[in-house]
Amino acid sequence: MLENDTESSPLNMSRRGFLKGVSAGAVATGLVQPSTEKQVAEAATKTIGPEGTSITLSVNGASKKLTVEPRVTLLDALRNRLDTTGAKKVCDRGTCGACTVLVDGDPIYSCSMLAVEAEGAEITTVEGLGTPDDMSDVQEAFVEHDASQCGFCTPGFVVATTAFVRDNPGASLDEVRAGMGGNLCRCGTYKGITEVAYNLAKKA
């Protein structure tokens, strides 16, 4: 049977008293450092939120000012605040890759990065890679190899393929399959996508 806080142990000490003694001892021996007014003030200046905060994002070469709560992801900021809707919100948990964008050249899941973390970085979405009238080599290859069906995963695949081909010239088929494994296609257009990445990597 458990003792309550007011009952004494055989050593004539309550559990509450024991915990108080441990806490006091920890502070006295330096295991726990009590916060000073200066430390509290410094911490307050580093805290963002929960109200909106003003940030500037560099998206496809253009500076975009917006106000977001600290919890807003880069994906939601792009789609809902900046009307840059190429990156798709599908799984929203860093699994499918449909929201892939480049941040300082690196492919990342924008649903797994906060907008405030992206301030100061160069963000490139699928819109920044090319347009219908002036497509990039990767976009043209997607059309040529019929590597798209419903289209939800396509922007993420185009961005991921762009980074893969740039970083893996001459990649083998196995390397292509492994390198593109972070993006999923429910329609099953992997054959066409693999051909795109493999053929472009051979030319790189």
Side-chain angles (χ1 to χ4, degrees), residues 15-180:
R15 287 184 299 165
R16 181 175 297 169
F18 173 75
L19 293 174
K20 286 181 177 179
V22 170
S23 298
V27 171
T29 58
L31 296 177
V32 177
Q33 295 293 335
S35 297
T36 65
E37 290 184 6
K38 180 180 179 181
Q39 289 172 323
V40 171
E42 289 177 351
T45 62
K46 298 177 183 178
T47 302
I48 301 175
E51 69 279 357
T53 184
S54 297
I55 61 174
T56 301
L57 298 180
S58 179
V59 182
N60 300 324
S63 293
K64 306 285 186 178
K65 293 184 178 180
L66 64 161
T67 299
V68 295
E69 294 180 13
R71 63 178 177 171
V72 173
T73 64
L74 176 58
L75 174 62
D76 284 340
L78 290 171
R79 292 183 57 83
N80 303 332
R81 310 297 175 85
L82 301 179
D83 199 30
T84 306
T85 56
K88 296 297 184 281
K89 189 172 185 176
V90 179
C91 75
D92 200 27
R93 58 191 63 188
T95 301
C96 71
C99 67
T100 303
V101 301
L102 301 179
V103 176
D104 285 338
D106 296 323
I108 63 101
Y109 296 149
S110 58
C111 74
S112 298
M113 184 177 197
L114 296 175
V116 293
E117 294 179 301
E119 189 170 26
E122 181 56 45
I123 303 159
T124 305
T125 70
V126 69
E127 291 95 335
L129 298 179
T131 66
D133 295 326
D134 185 21
M135 291 189 289
S136 69
D137 291 341
V138 173
Q139 291 169 324
E140 288 182 346
F142 263 73
V143 175
E144 179 183 350
H145 291 277
D146 197 20
S148 174
Q149 285 194 37
C150 78
F152 275 96
C153 73
T154 305
F157 263 112
V158 169
V159 174
T161 302
T162 299
F164 177 83
V165 170
R166 178 199 66 204
D167 296 337
N168 299 275
S172 67
L173 274 175
D174 286 340
E175 289 171 333
V176 168
R177 294 187 180 107
M180 300 299 296

